[in-house]
Amino acid sequence: MAQMRVLPGQPDAAATAAVDLRTRLAGLALPNPVLTASGCAGAGRELHQFVDVASLGAVVTKSIMLAPRAGRATPRMVETPSGLLNSIGLQGPGLEEFLAHDLPWLVEHGARPVVSIAGESVEEYARLAARLRHAPGVAGVEVNISCPNVANRGLVFACRATDAATVVRAVRQNTAGSVPVLAKLSPDVTDIVEIAAACVAAGADGLSLINTLLGMVIDTTTMRPSLAGVTGGLSGPAIRPVAVRCVWQVHEAMPEVPILAMGGILTGSDALEMVLAGASAVSVGTAIFHDPGAPGRILAELAHALAGLGFARLVDAVGYAHRPPEPPPDAGAGSGTVTDAGADAPAEGSADVEAVTGPPQVRR
Amino acid sequence: MPVQVRGEVLSVKRVGEYHEMTIVAPGIAEHARPGQFVTLAVGGTPTSMLTRRAFSIFRVAERGVYGGTVQVVFAVTGAGTAWLAARRAHDSLDVVGPLGRPFSLPRDPASATLVGGGYGAAPLIWLGEVLRRRGARVDFVLGASRETRLFGSLDAKRMATTVAITTEDGTVGVRGRVTDVLPTLMTRANADVVYACGPMPMLAEVTRIAADRGASVQVAVEESMACGIGVCMTCVLPVVGEDGVIRMVRSCVQGPVMDGTRVRWEDIGTVPEGTWGTAPVAGATSVRSGSR
Ligand SMILES: Cc1cc2nc3c(=O)[nH]c(=O)nc-3n(C[C@H](O)[C@H](O)[C@H](O)COP(=O)(O)OP(=O)(O)OC[C@H]3O[C@@H](n4cnc5c(N)ncnc54)[C@H](O)[C@@H]3O)c2cc1C
Ligand SMILES: Cc1cc2nc3c(=O)[nH]c(=O)nc-3n(C[C@H](O)[C@H](O)[C@H](O)COP(=O)(O)O)c2cc1C
Ligand code: FES
């Protein structure tokens, strides 16, 4: 077997292809860790023109409510530095139309649909979950709790641990045991770990981190708010450090709870950052608006980055940043896939590894 | 079906206050039709400008020396278009297209009046050529605030039966707006159909004039867009369906070309009462109180 020179960060194609990208998200086995973010890929149909929905880890659909919803007035969007502020107002067809047209389409096309649900009362969430229970093909349920609770002066469920937990419990109780329930948290809270713990205690199988941050832009020409909805949700790379911090804190407090991370992922290295912070999978949102081919590109870049660091399996990188720094883990200690190839005789300078047969090289 | 391609700038040239850019973009020219648009990523990699910029397709050439090309005409109005104006030959560009619904063409030879405001003339020049080839009578009304913002008048003159020009400052043609001269022109041309592209208030007024005279009217609307491919729900406007129900319709996939008479022009920027998906019962939350 020929020796191949592999430069740090530039693994050969074979090494990239050899990275095992499979992951598990709260009992849900996924072929790879790159999903779409709710509200950024509709129900998959339009995106399918650019990325085969079956090739995605899963498709997280736009949050659906019981009834059709017109959404807010326009303008609904304003671009900000490395970000996007939106106030769509959950425009959507309502659950019945979603079940009649969108869910079957996703299933037919080989996608794994994770259905995002949103409601204005605990009862609405419970009814959504109960109705989804009998819909074939639902791979998972993501609970968007960044919605105003009509019964509690419009306070967003995600902002109070008890409200968040009540919704999650209602959804969990009405969802088949085999279908994981992910609670999607808002970063606009004092202590995200407290909310996360409450959701897990209420039965959440995993957590989606993070929803958009509440923001605002004023047009200095008209001297009025830029969005018709006045405030909106900030997304994109501008919020990525906030997302990484949330994933880090929650993973540190509850390392056993699976995390689906989102917030400004634009490249494979952004995705890797989330994985290292503790995410088992990632969702791509705003990046799709910038580059409709982003999910596929990000997956390829992530595989490349993992191979470059010597990881043979994605799962070995999950939460890696929490490990104490040097020395790197012993070859025999872990699963054996992240190995220090040069434990006895460090490969000085040269990063020659034997392709395929040689042990993976950890370079850092 | 739209594709995403890495295009290459062939040329950028000044035309009055506009920039006319020709991009080698294989796979797009072959399937594009007048009224459709492309979106361009701006700012390079990495960029702080995440939303793609939308531009009507001015012209396509299916097989140039370098493969299919797409032309767009744009005004510099902000950082994204300024970045585009600074591109030079051989620079690469991320192009998605063709997007949206094109103008529909009359089945039989008809009399078509094409009304363009500013760079809105760009897609109409191509449309006019297609209509002429199908044996239609084509008349143009082109307008702008001033002469340097007038686009396409030479091309229009080459193919049209008549061309009327208006500028708001009177630097060329009739002083005033396209809608001032449209009624007379429609009568003279015995217009069956009006096609329009330009600022939204112009489209509203053109629709009123055309509908009053019993002509059908197709307009290419310009709403702010975040994705351009139908996934984000940014670009909506209230449109009355065949069933009489108002819906918030995505202009990037159910437009940009629409039947002007179906658009609720006076309600743009609102969600009119009774729109599909608004709370039907009193006491229910208003559409503005929803979550993000
Ligand atoms: C279907 C369609 C076709 C268009 N065709 C043309 C054309 O042929 N020639 C041309 O010059 N312009 C055209 N426009 C408008 C063009 O997209 C904007 O001028 C451009 O996006 C402005 O970008 P900017 O970065 O310079 O401005 P900025 O104001 O910095 O842009 C900020 C944000 O607002 C959005 N935006 C700003 N102005 C507009 C606008 N008028 N319409 C939509 N979004 C806007 C941008 O996309 C961006 O997201 C078209 C728009 C649409 C929707
Ligand atoms: C236009 C838009 C619509 C969104 N709609 C939803 C939604 O319906 N439900 C939801 O849970 N999150 C929604 N989000 C939030 C995203 O799913 C994601 O959590 C957030 O945007 C951060 O990721 P990003 O930076 O990759 O976009 C939306 C975001 C955007 C930009
Ligand atoms: S611009 Fe995103 S749906 Fe039209």
Side-chain angles (χ1 to χ4, degrees):
Chain A
M1 180 122 279
Q3 291 279 310
M4 290 177 70
R5 185 166 176 80
V6 184
L7 299 168
Q10 295 186 334
D12 62 284
T16 297
V19 176
D20 181 352
L21 292 164
R22 286 173 302 170
T23 188
R24 290 188 81 79
L25 199 56
L28 179 62
L30 302 176
N32 70 67
V34 178
L35 289 67
T36 57
S38 178
C40 300
R45 224 177 283 231
E46 297 86 0
L47 187 66
H48 191 62
Q49 303 174 108
F50 302 95
V51 182
D52 180 0
V53 289
S55 73
L56 295 161
V59 173
V60 182
T61 55
K62 167 91 190 156
S63 294
I64 197 81
M65 306 188 77
L66 276 177
R69 193 162 165 111
R72 288 213 188 89
T74 54
R76 289 178 168 185
M77 183 276 296
V78 54
E79 194 179 65
T80 64
S82 295
L84 198 71
L85 194 70
N86 88 84
S87 145
I88 307 293
L90 294 178
Q91 176 170 349
L95 184 65
E96 292 311 319
E97 194 162 312
F98 173 82
L99 293 178
H101 302 292
D102 297 333
L103 187 61
W105 184 91
L106 282 166
V107 174
E108 255 167 52
H109 287 78
R112 287 152 291 279
V114 171
V115 180
S116 170
I117 57 173
E120 293 180 325
S121 66
V122 176
E123 196 216 343
E124 185 172 354
Y125 283 100
R127 284 173 58 195
L128 282 158
R131 186 75 182 78
L132 280 176
R133 186 179 197 129
H134 304 291
V138 177
V141 175
E142 183 176 86
V143 197
N144 174 3
I145 53 176
S146 295
C147 296
N149 179 358
V150 169
N152 189 3
R153 294 172 293 114
L155 202 74
V156 174
F157 290 103
C159 291
R160 275 186 48 183
T162 48
D163 288 359
T166 310
V167 171
V168 170
R169 191 172 299 113
V171 173
R172 184 62 276 175
Q173 281 167 357
N174 285 283
T175 303
S178 57
V179 174
V181 170
L182 307 172
K184 181 163 178 181
L185 307 190
S186 163
D188 290 331
V189 295
T190 311
D191 180 4
I192 196 153
V193 173
E194 182 204 350
I195 313 270
C199 289
V200 169
D205 304 290
L207 299 167
S208 297
L209 303 170
I210 60 175
N211 212 316
T212 51
L213 277 84
L214 196 60
M216 184 169 173
V217 171
I218 294 174
D219 182 324
T220 51
T221 309
T222 64
M223 301 188 286
R224 294 288 180 276
S226 294
L227 296 177
V230 181
T231 58
L234 184 64
S235 64
I239 70 167
R240 194 167 61 234
V242 178
V244 173
R245 180 268 297 175
C246 290
V247 172
W248 172 278
Q249 288 180 330
V250 170
H251 184 74
E252 181 142 275
M254 295 174 285
E256 69 293 346
V257 176
I259 294 173
L260 172 60
M262 67 284 292
I265 297 171
L266 214 53
T267 68
S269 128
D270 301 340
L272 177 62
E273 194 181 353
M274 295 294 195
V275 169
L276 296 173
S280 296
V282 299
S283 277
V284 177
T286 301
I288 291 173
F289 307 163
H290 177 67
D291 168 14
R297 175 180 54 78
I298 289 169
L299 179 63
E301 290 171 356
L302 174 62
H304 192 264
L306 286 166
L309 291 167
F311 286 105
R313 307 191 314 171
L314 167 92
V315 292
D316 297 321
V318 174
Y320 197 90
H322 291 264
R323 299 193 193 180
E326 301 299 318
D330 189 281
S335 54
T337 48
V338 177
T339 58
D340 185 356
D344 298 321
E348 286 179 349
S350 156
D352 280 351
V353 295
E354 200 179 330
V356 189
T357 52
Q361 186 105 344
V362 179
R363 287 174 289 267
R364 58 181 75 76
Chain B
M1 178 149 142
V3 292
Q4 179 178 21
V5 299
R6 181 133 297 276
E8 184 186 326
V9 176
L10 202 58
S11 65
V12 192
K13 72 172 201 232
R14 284 299 288 261
V15 181
E17 290 183 43
Y18 302 122
H19 300 263
E20 186 185 300
M21 182 183 260
T22 307
I23 311 161
V24 181
I28 294 181
E30 294 83 332
H31 303 107
R33 285 158 62 194
Q36 291 187 299
F37 64 101
V38 293
T39 60
L40 307 175
V42 295
T45 313
T47 179
S48 67
M49 295 182 274
L50 296 175
T51 59
R52 306 175 68 87
R53 272 44 173 176
F55 302 97
S56 303
I57 299 173
F58 165 43
R59 271 215 179 93
V60 298
E62 285 187 25
R63 291 176 293 276
V65 188
Y66 311 94
T69 59
V70 173
Q71 283 183 305
V72 296
V73 174
F74 61 91
V76 171
T77 56
T81 43
W83 182 86
L84 282 173
R87 294 309 92 204
R88 291 296 166 256
H90 308 305
D91 284 351
S92 85
L93 268 187
D94 175 349
V95 191
V96 170
L99 294 164
R101 287 230 278 244
F103 290 111
S104 55
L105 305 172
R107 208 174 297 277
D108 307 311
S111 172
T113 300
L114 280 52
V115 188
Y119 59 73
L124 299 179
I125 299 298
W126 182 20
L127 173 68
E129 288 165 357
V130 171
L131 286 169
R132 286 291 294 132
R133 260 182 262 137
R134 294 169 66 110
R137 169 181 169 144
V138 170
D139 294 86
F140 270 94
V141 188
L142 300 178
S145 53
R146 53 178 175 264
E147 185 178 8
T148 45
R149 290 197 186 167
L150 204 60
F151 184 81
S153 57
L154 280 179
D155 285 319
K157 279 172 187 155
R158 257 199 292 278
M159 75 177 103
T161 306
T162 66
V163 178
I165 306 280
T166 64
T167 50
E168 282 171 42
D169 65 357
T171 38
V172 61
V174 177
R175 179 192 296 266
R177 301 185 164 194
V178 288
T179 44
D180 298 337
V181 303
L182 180 61
T184 323
L185 211 115
M186 279 185 68
T187 308
R188 202 179 338 130
N190 201 10
D192 303 302
V193 53
V194 173
Y195 295 97
C197 184
M200 298 292 263
M202 182 199 105
L203 301 182
E205 188 59 13
V206 168
T207 297
R208 195 187 57 75
I209 292 168
D212 277 354
R213 280 157 187 75
S216 61
V217 53
Q218 290 188 40
V219 299
V221 300
E222 186 178 301
E223 267 293 337
S224 172
M225 294 179 179
C227 74
I229 59 169
V231 297
C232 76
M233 312 305 268
T234 290
C235 61
V236 298
L237 72 181
V239 172
V240 184
E242 273 169 23
D243 53 5
V245 177
I246 307 170
R247 289 182 179 77
M248 298 304 281
V249 160
R250 291 167 297 174
S251 60
C252 68
V253 286
Q254 286 157 290
V257 177
M258 297 182 171
D259 175 345
T261 61
R262 297 224 169 264
V263 178
R264 292 276 299 235
W265 298 103
E266 66 284 7
D267 293 322
I268 289 175
T270 71
V271 180
E273 208 175 306
T275 299
W276 186 75
T278 47
V281 286
T285 48
S286 88
V287 292
R288 280 173 180 261
S289 69
S291 80
R292 53 188 191 271

